[in-house]
Amino acid sequence: MNVLFISSEVAPFSKTGGLGDVAGALPAALASLGHDVKVITPRYRDLRGAERLEPTGQSLLLRFPFGELSGPILSARVSERLEVLFLENAFLFGNRHGLYGDAGGAFADNHRRFAYLSVGALQAAQRLRFIPDIIHANDWQTGLAPVALRRGFQTGPLAHAKSVFTIHNLAYQGQFPKDVMGDLALPWDLFTAHDGLEFHDTVNFLKAGLVFSDALTTVSPTYAREIQTPEQGYGLDGLLRHRAHRLHGILNGVDTHEWNPEDDAFLPARYGLKDLSGKAVCKRELLARFGLEDGPAPVFGFVSRLAWQKGMDLLLEALPAALHADIRVVGVGSGEGPLEEGLLALQARYPKQVGVHIGFDPGLSHLVEAGADFFLMPSRYEPCGLNQMYSLRYGTVPIVRATGGLVDTVEGGLDGNGILFEAFHKSALLAAIRRALALYADPSRLDEFRRRGMEKDFSWGASGRRYEALFHDLVAE
C-alpha cells in the first residue's frame, strides 16, 4: 500500500512528546513491512537535521481568504520505502521558535499554520504524484485533512484514499473562535454540532478528524474505552460512543534500538536477561550522579513531564511519608513551576535521600531507567505511556496507576511484572510503595518480576502489523 502519514512533529527532526516518537517509529515499521510511506510535516525554524533536506523541485500554492500561501516541499530519504517531506513557509513556520507556541502561550495563527499542513499535505501528494491508499492523520493539528479529503479532493487522484485519524491525547483538541470558518474558507454548513466542526460555539479541529475519518485509532486499548466515558471524554465521549464501531485501540511500541540495556551507550555497564549484574553498577553510578549514598536501600526513580496529567502533585504529597523508610528517590523532568519548586524543596529537605534534575537530559534519563529498582508513574490518565515500557525492558519494576496504556502493559499480582494501584489518592500510592518494599525484601521474587518484564515484546513490529491489518480492511471496503 501507499501510506501518506501527516504529523505536526516527527522524531528525530521535531518533537515535544509522544506524538513525535510515534510519527518517527510507526512509518518506519510500516515501511519495513513492504509499504511505501511518505510522512509530511512542517519545516520548523529549529528543525534538527535540517542539513539533510533536499529540494523535491515541487512547491505548494494554497489560497485562503486572508491571502495566498506558498512554499517548497523538501525531502529527507530515510530508507528505500520511507521518505519524510517538509512543508516550508517562512511566515508560518520559519520565523519563530517553538512548534505550537512560546512563553506567551499558543501562537494566535495556529489555525492557519495547521490548515496549511493539513491541506498542503494532500496537495503535496498530488504534486509529487504519490497516490495514497491510506491517509493517516494525527491529533488536532491534522484534523482538517480528512475534511479536505472529503470536501475538496473528492474528485481528483486522491478520491479513493481512505482516512485514518489517531488520537494521541484527547485533552488537546485545537479549539478556535468560529470566525476561523471564514478565515479558512470552510463552508458554514460544516459548522454543526452533530456531524460537523462546531463544539460549544467554537471550531474544534480534533472533532473534525473524528467526524470525517473512515477509521479512528488511539494509542492503547484501555484508553479507547476510557475516552468513551464522561470522565475522560472531554466533551466528545458521545461522538466517540457513536463512532465506537470505527474506533480501534492499538498500543504504541517503543524504539527497541534506543532503549536496550544490552547496548545502551549511556550506561556504565550493559546487562540483559542472561546476566543482570550490570544493573547494580548502574545503580551505584546513578546514586553517585545525584550525590546520594550507596547502600542496600531501594531506589525509586521517575522521568516525567512535570504536569497535572502525570500525577506529580500526588507524588509530592506522598513522598514525605514514604521517605520515613530507608529509600532513595531520584527524578528527571521539567514542566509546571509549582511542581518543579516542590521537588527542589523536597530535595532540600531530604538531601541524603532525594535527588532531582530539573530539565531534559537523555543520558540521565537512561541511567534512571537502568539504575532504579522501581519506577514511579502515578498518572491521572495516560493514553499509552512509554516510560513504563522502558522500565520493563530495563528490569526496573514500574509502580503505576491503573489507567490507560499503563493497564495494558504492566501486569500486577503475585506473578506480574509491576505494581498497580487504583485510586488517585495518597494512601493508594503509599500502599503501592509498601508493596514495592516487601518485594525488594525478597530478592528472588524481585528477580522474577524483573525477568518477566524484560521478556515482554514492546517493539513497533507488533503495532505496525495491527495498523497494517486495519489499513487492509479499509482498502477492502
Side-chain angles (χ1 to χ4, degrees):
M1 290 177 284
N2 286 348
V3 179
L4 185 71
F5 194 97
I6 314 172
S7 176
S8 60
E9 54 186 78
V10 179
F13 303 98
S14 58
K15 175 183 168 180
T16 65
L19 170 60
D21 288 322
V22 174
L26 176 56
L30 292 168
S32 72
L33 292 171
H35 308 293
D36 289 313
V37 186
K38 295 194 185 299
V39 182
I40 298 193
T41 193
R43 197 284 192 221
Y44 296 108
R45 175 176 179 172
D46 299 323
L47 196 79
R48 292 186 290 274
E51 69 281 354
R52 295 174 52 186
L53 306 190
E54 300 284 347
T56 63
Q58 296 292 334
S59 296
L60 299 185
L61 176 60
L62 300 179
R63 293 182 175 89
F64 295 98
F66 60 83
E68 289 187 351
L69 293 173
S70 62
I73 306 167
L74 307 175
S75 167
R77 174 65 65 175
V78 177
S79 66
E80 180 183 357
R81 293 188 177 273
L82 175 60
E83 183 179 22
V84 182
L85 298 166
F86 300 85
L87 306 186
E88 186 171 61
N89 181 279
F91 177 71
L92 297 177
F93 305 116
N95 66 349
R96 66 193 86 185
H97 299 289
L99 274 60
Y100 312 121
D102 55 22
F107 295 132
D109 60 348
N110 271 345
H111 63 290
R112 294 178 176 181
R113 299 173 75 231
F114 294 110
Y116 186 81
L117 171 62
S118 297
V119 183
L122 304 187
Q123 189 181 97
Q126 288 188 334
R127 293 283 171 90
L128 296 167
R129 293 182 172 82
F130 181 75
I131 308 305
D133 300 291
I134 297 292
I135 295 173
H136 188 166
N138 293 269
D139 266 355
W140 71 263
Q141 296 90 343
T142 63
L144 292 186
V147 180
L149 179 66
R150 192 85 63 86
R151 297 293 292 262
F153 291 78
Q154 71 273 34
T155 59
L158 274 60
H160 297 293
K162 297 291 186 177
S163 57
V164 176
F165 185 79
T166 295
I167 308 156
H168 295 265
N169 191 330
L170 191 68
Y172 301 95
Q173 298 185 4
Q175 291 179 243
F176 301 96
K178 62 184 178 183
D179 58 10
V180 307
M181 296 289 291
D183 198 43
L184 300 176
L186 291 166
W188 278 98
D189 68 286
L190 292 176
F191 193 73
T192 61
H194 175 64
D195 56 357
L197 281 59
E198 191 273 338
F199 184 75
H200 299 295
D201 208 38
T202 69
V203 174
N204 187 315
F205 277 28
L206 187 129
K207 186 188 175 197
L210 300 184
V211 170
F212 282 89
S213 296
D214 295 303
L216 309 175
T217 73
T218 191
V219 292
S220 71
T222 296
Y223 191 59
R225 295 189 293 272
E226 290 175 341
I227 59 177
Q228 296 178 58
T229 67
E231 293 77 17
Q232 293 203 43
Y234 288 91
L236 294 171
D237 50 290
L239 171 60
L240 288 162
R241 288 194 297 274
H242 175 71
R243 300 219 66 200
H245 65 294
R246 289 290 186 175
L247 175 61
H248 308 265
I250 301 178
L251 187 70
N252 280 345
V254 299
D255 186 334
T256 54
H257 298 290
E258 178 184 0
W259 294 93
N260 181 1
E262 292 184 308
D263 62 5
D264 190 328
F266 288 118
L267 304 185
R270 280 62 155 179
Y271 61 93
L273 260 174
K274 294 180 180 178
D275 182 3
L276 285 168
S277 59
K279 189 167 176 61
V281 178
C282 294
K283 181 176 179 177
R284 288 195 296 271
E285 175 64 20
L286 177 64
L287 291 169
R289 288 281 292 273
F290 281 100
L292 302 178
E293 292 182 5
D294 188 13
V299 175
F300 293 75
F302 65 87
V303 177
S304 178
R305 186 163 43 88
L306 303 182
W308 179 87
Q309 176 203 332
K310 299 295 184 179
M312 288 294 111
D313 53 331
L314 179 63
L315 190 62
L316 276 171
E317 184 183 357
L319 280 179
L323 287 163
H324 288 309
D326 184 23
I327 68 171
R328 306 288 182 267
V329 178
V330 297
V332 177
S334 64
E336 297 168 11
L339 295 175
E340 291 184 355
E341 294 164 8
L343 286 169
L344 291 173
L346 192 73
Q347 178 179 245
R349 183 179 171 187
Y350 299 95
K352 295 182 178 181
Q353 291 179 269
V354 178
V356 177
H357 175 83
I358 300 298
F360 176 65
D361 186 323
L364 192 55
S365 299
H366 280 242
L367 186 59
V368 170
E369 289 287 8
D373 299 295
F374 301 96
F375 194 91
L376 295 158
M377 288 186 73
S379 303
R380 274 183 171 82
Y381 70 93
E382 194 65 65
C384 177
L386 295 175
N387 280 98
Q388 82 280 10
M389 291 188 271
Y390 301 154
S391 298
L392 290 168
R393 284 184 60 76
Y394 280 66
T396 299
V397 178
I399 301 172
V400 304
R401 183 160 174 266
T403 184
L406 303 180
V407 175
D408 297 321
T409 50
V410 178
E411 300 166 9
L414 296 176
D415 296 320
N417 55 30
I419 296 170
L420 291 90
F421 65 98
E422 294 280 347
F424 189 84
H425 192 273
K426 170 184 173 182
S427 61
L429 176 54
L430 286 173
I433 292 173
R434 286 195 295 271
R435 283 153 56 198
L437 293 175
L439 179 61
Y440 188 77
D442 189 342
S444 62
R445 191 162 149 255
L446 175 62
D447 189 64
E448 291 170 2
F449 266 64
R450 286 173 168 166
R451 292 181 183 279
R452 283 193 291 266
M454 296 177 78
E455 288 170 352
K456 298 285 286 186
D457 178 12
F458 294 116
S459 67
W460 269 104
S463 302
R465 287 189 291 274
R466 289 284 309 279
Y467 273 103
E468 179 186 49
L470 173 62
F471 295 169
H472 275 305
D473 289 345
L474 288 172
V475 171
E477 289 179 0

